[in-house]
Amino acid sequence: MPNSPNVRQPVFSASWNEKQSTISDKNGQWKLQLQTAKAGGPFNLKVVGSTSITLNDILLGEVWLCSGQSNMEMPVNGFLGQPVVGSNEILLNSDLPEIRLFNVKRNTNNNPLDTCGGTWQLANAQSVGNFSAVAYLYGKMLQEKLKVPVGLICSSVGGTRVEAWTKKEVLEQVKFVYKKNPDPNAKINNNDPSVLFNAMIHPLIPFTIKGVIWYQGETNRSNAHQYKERFSAMINSWRTDWSIGDLPFYFAQIAPFEYSKEFNAAYLREAQLQTMQQTAHTGMAITMDIGEKDCIHPAQKKQVAERLGYWALAKTYGFSGFLYSGPIYKSMSVTDNKVQLEFDHAPNGLTSFGKSLTQFTIAGADQKFHPAKAEIIKGKLIVYSENVSTPVAVRYGWENYTEGALFNLGGLPASSFRTDNW
């Protein structure tokens, strides 16, 4: 805009030898992108306008957005009566000045906001204890491997649906019936459509991030048949909003839990699996082996963080020589009454690590499933039942709660799956 007596020109001087100026509008608002140096620090940034502000102890490095519902929100200190395994050791070794943490203050709004509450904090026992366990352990893994500063922005709210994290225009594109409450004074619910995107994601755009990790899905069990389309649409819309190309997006599959019988969570896990298979530059950390029958917040958060980290290190940062995904069902062949199943991401075959393979069912053309016997012979999985002479379909872990027992040799578990689409 043209310069005028009411328009100020803030000048930005960064200690990594970068200096720029911009023009604020009449309300003092402005936006500027600074070219950064290579990762490191600490640096400082001085802003001179009508007043002068100096920001100290700035690090340059990798920033990841960590979002979702309560399993992402769950802090290292745990929830009441619900622990995080190894939390004491995590806190003991948490004084890591090259890791910075930002918790987005919980908020909702019917319209997109430009600001949010929160403060950058150094990683120490106090800040880490109250920060997302999955996010922190993921960031710690990256920092140790990349040897650069890592910033983590956690924006999560327990018990929330994917629709609340998705912008209005995108929901309309996937034929979501967007019903606005006619009462302007009505209290906003956390699960009203778009309200969390508006208040807790939109204010972060276009802050430069490397990628996103996500842990959500439990609350969408009732509409699992719509989740794949809506989740994929949300992922791609965030990428469009950030304008960073194919922004890496890695997510945790929901863990087994004894939900009510009304909705089978296996269908939601399948929708997440299909999202990973059909949406570019995504990856899924499978958690079939760490679910807890009576607790929706599994205590084994380190495994979740590590499995997300494997995806990032392999696919975003180019490390190789290790497995980054659990086995993914590929195909089946039938010989007499036995089915042999083939998997991707299991180059040296499968193992159960001594666990019982009791999670399989098998069916013939009548579509009636029977408990099946399963064996791993020289790394190959064979499934059969005396009650099914000509099998046509196999399912694994196809229920709310099951104890995953199928792994690749890297110790990463297979997702629940079905070979049919009945």
Side-chain angles (χ1 to χ4, degrees):
M1 65 177 63
N3 203 352
S4 74
N6 295 322
V7 178
R8 300 182 177 89
Q9 291 183 283
V11 177
F12 299 79
S13 301
S15 62
W16 59 87
N17 296 321
E18 178 72 10
K19 186 174 182 179
Q20 289 194 41
S21 65
T22 188
I23 299 176
S24 63
D25 64 19
K26 63 181 180 181
N27 297 315
Q29 295 182 327
W30 47 267
K31 184 183 295 184
L32 179 71
Q33 287 189 329
L34 289 177
Q35 184 69 35
T36 56
K38 66 178 182 179
F43 300 103
N44 62 62
L45 175 64
K46 187 174 183 179
V47 184
V48 179
S50 57
T51 59
S52 177
I53 299 174
T54 299
L55 304 176
N56 295 307
D57 198 22
I58 296 172
L59 299 182
L60 303 180
E62 303 291 270
V63 178
W64 284 81
L65 172 60
C66 316
S67 189
Q69 58 181 106
S70 56
N71 271 301
M72 179 61 78
E73 182 182 22
M74 189 176 188
V76 172
N77 285 334
F79 292 140
L80 186 63
Q82 298 177 356
V84 168
V85 170
S87 60
N88 224 34
E89 184 178 357
I90 294 169
L91 296 175
L92 180 65
N93 297 293
S94 62
D95 287 312
L96 300 170
E98 290 206 325
I99 297 179
R100 304 295 169 89
L101 314 173
F102 187 98
N103 262 319
V104 176
K105 185 178 180 180
R106 185 177 295 195
N107 193 17
T108 57
N109 205 284
N110 286 318
N111 299 296
L113 301 181
D114 293 326
T115 60
C116 63
T119 303
W120 281 106
Q121 295 181 297
L122 277 71
N124 55 45
Q126 183 174 357
S127 62
V128 168
N130 295 312
F131 195 76
S132 162
V134 168
Y136 169 72
L137 292 170
Y138 172 83
K140 185 173 184 287
M141 183 178 180
L142 294 190
Q143 198 282 320
E144 290 174 348
K145 190 66 177 176
L146 301 174
K147 303 190 187 313
V148 299
V150 172
L152 303 165
I153 301 172
C154 186
S155 182
S156 57
V157 179
T160 52
R161 301 170 64 86
V162 73
E163 293 85 354
W165 295 97
T166 308
K167 66 194 303 182
K168 176 182 177 181
E169 296 80 2
V170 173
L171 290 175
E172 291 173 340
Q173 290 169 9
V174 295
K175 298 180 175 58
F176 178 84
V177 180
Y178 203 100
K179 297 179 180 179
K180 185 176 181 180
N181 193 322
D183 181 3
N185 298 315
K187 184 178 179 180
I188 299 175
N189 184 281
N190 284 341
N191 275 315
D192 288 345
S194 306
V195 297
L196 296 176
F197 171 82
N198 290 339
M200 297 181 65
I201 298 297
H202 189 269
L204 304 174
I205 303 167
F207 189 95
T208 302
I209 58 176
K210 188 68 174 182
V212 179
I213 59 170
W214 174 267
Y215 197 163
Q216 186 276 339
E218 295 91 342
T219 311
N220 278 97
R221 289 179 302 108
S222 62
N223 69 327
H225 62 290
Q226 298 169 321
Y227 187 82
K228 177 184 67 174
E229 182 181 30
R230 295 182 183 180
F231 185 32
S232 179
M234 187 206 81
I235 293 169
N236 287 321
S237 71
W238 285 20
R239 288 170 169 167
T240 299
D241 288 336
W242 255 279
S243 299
I244 311 180
D246 292 316
L247 191 72
F249 197 107
Y250 306 124
F251 57 91
Q253 189 180 49
I254 63 172
F257 170 70
E258 194 64 88
Y259 296 98
S260 67
K261 302 296 183 182
E262 185 179 5
F263 301 107
N264 185 351
Y267 289 96
L268 193 284
R269 297 195 297 263
E270 178 183 58
Q272 292 178 308
L273 174 62
Q274 292 172 343
T275 299
M276 187 265 288
Q277 292 173 317
Q278 300 173 20
T279 307
H281 302 283
T282 62
M284 184 175 74
I286 300 167
T287 60
M288 291 296 294
D289 59 326
I290 60 173
E292 297 181 24
K293 187 174 183 179
D294 299 316
C295 184
I296 201 170
H297 302 122
Q300 299 284 2
K301 289 293 186 280
K302 184 178 180 182
Q303 287 92 327
V304 181
E306 288 177 343
R307 292 167 189 179
L308 290 168
Y310 294 146
W311 274 100
L313 290 171
K315 292 302 184 179
T316 299
Y317 296 108
F319 289 86
S320 61
F322 59 93
L323 296 173
Y324 55 86
S325 172
I328 303 296
Y329 166 73
K330 180 171 63 174
S331 63
M332 60 176 278
S333 58
V334 180
T335 303
D336 297 327
N337 72 327
K338 294 186 177 182
V339 177
Q340 180 172 309
L341 299 159
E342 299 290 335
F343 294 82
D344 290 323
H345 302 288
N348 291 319
L350 303 166
T351 180
S352 68
F353 287 107
K355 292 187 175 184
S356 298
L357 293 170
T358 58
Q359 304 83 0
F360 291 88
T361 56
I362 195 168
D366 61 1
Q367 300 187 10
K368 293 181 179 179
F369 281 89
H370 300 267
K373 295 181 180 179
E375 300 174 349
I376 297 175
I377 301 174
K378 294 183 179 180
K380 300 292 185 179
L381 177 65
I382 309 297
V383 181
Y384 60 95
S385 170
E386 295 176 355
N387 297 314
V388 181
S389 59
T390 308
V392 298
V394 173
R395 292 181 175 182
Y396 166 70
W398 204 254
E399 52 194 343
N400 279 321
Y401 179 76
T402 186
E403 296 182 10
L406 194 62
F407 303 83
N408 59 26
L409 271 59
L412 300 178
S415 169
S416 51
F417 66 88
R418 55 177 177 159
T419 65
D420 64 277
N421 60 0
W422 300 334

